[in-house]
Structure formats: structure tokens, C-alpha cells
Amino acid sequence: MARVNVFLKDELLDEINAEAKDEGTNRSALIQTALEEYLQAKRKQREEAEKRKEMKEASRRIDDLAKELGDWDPVAIIRRFRDTNLKGDR
């Protein structure tokens, strides 16, 4: 385990000490847990941002495809496909 020196405001250190005491732990463990949770939250934020970016790109591609295809009636196409396949089953 590595040692790190960190400078903290006195008020923050007082809060850390009080919280560690309330939790029944020491401040090193409290700070380590807090940093792990912070890093996990930041990682999750980045992953969610990437998913939103991918979804936005997919939506843009669908919009581009819709413009390219123009107006068409998907219900009529599905019914025609269904009716054609049903006739072959009889």
C-alpha cells in the first residue's frame, strides 16, 4: 500500500475525523472508501455519457435513413408480407 501526503482544509479534516469516529473507522479508511466511490461514480458518468453519445448517433442514422427512404407505409408492407406468407402456408 502506498503512502500519500495530502493537504486538506482544517474544516474538512475536522469533518473527516468526526465522520470516521461516527463510522467506527479511521480517517484513512474513510478517505479511501470515499475516493473509491468517487472514482466509481465518475466512471459510471463517463460510461453513461458514451451510451448517450452512441444513442444520439444511432438516432441520427435512423433519421437519415428515414429521409432517404421517404414516405412509406410500414403497416401496408407488413400486411402484404404477412398475407403473402399466409397464402404459402395453406
Side-chain angles (χ1 to χ4, degrees):
M1 189 174 302
R3 281 192 113 145
V4 177
N5 290 324
V6 177
F7 294 97
L8 302 171
K9 295 178 184 176
D10 291 336
E11 298 82 20
L12 179 58
L13 184 57
D14 291 343
E15 287 185 52
I16 291 169
N17 288 333
E19 187 64 29
K21 184 178 179 183
D22 289 347
E23 293 288 321
T25 188
N26 60 54
R27 68 177 168 211
S28 292
L30 181 79
I31 292 169
Q32 183 171 330
T33 299
L35 287 173
E36 287 169 348
E37 290 178 8
Y38 171 81
L39 292 172
Q40 183 178 8
K42 293 302 275 186
R43 210 172 8 257
K44 185 175 180 180
Q45 286 176 354
R46 282 191 296 275
E47 289 169 359
E48 289 173 355
E50 183 62 29
K51 285 180 186 177
R52 282 192 300 277
K53 181 181 171 185
E54 290 172 2
M55 290 173 65
K56 188 174 181 179
E57 176 62 18
S59 179
R60 186 194 61 75
R61 287 180 173 185
I62 289 170
D63 289 345
D64 289 348
L65 182 59
K67 287 177 188 174
E68 186 178 318
L69 293 173
D71 291 336
W72 59 285
D73 183 4
V75 175
I77 292 170
I78 291 169
R79 286 182 179 149
R80 188 169 56 237
F81 177 78
R82 180 195 62 202
D83 293 345
T84 302
N85 286 334
L86 287 176
K87 289 177 186 176
D89 290 343
R90 293 180 185 166

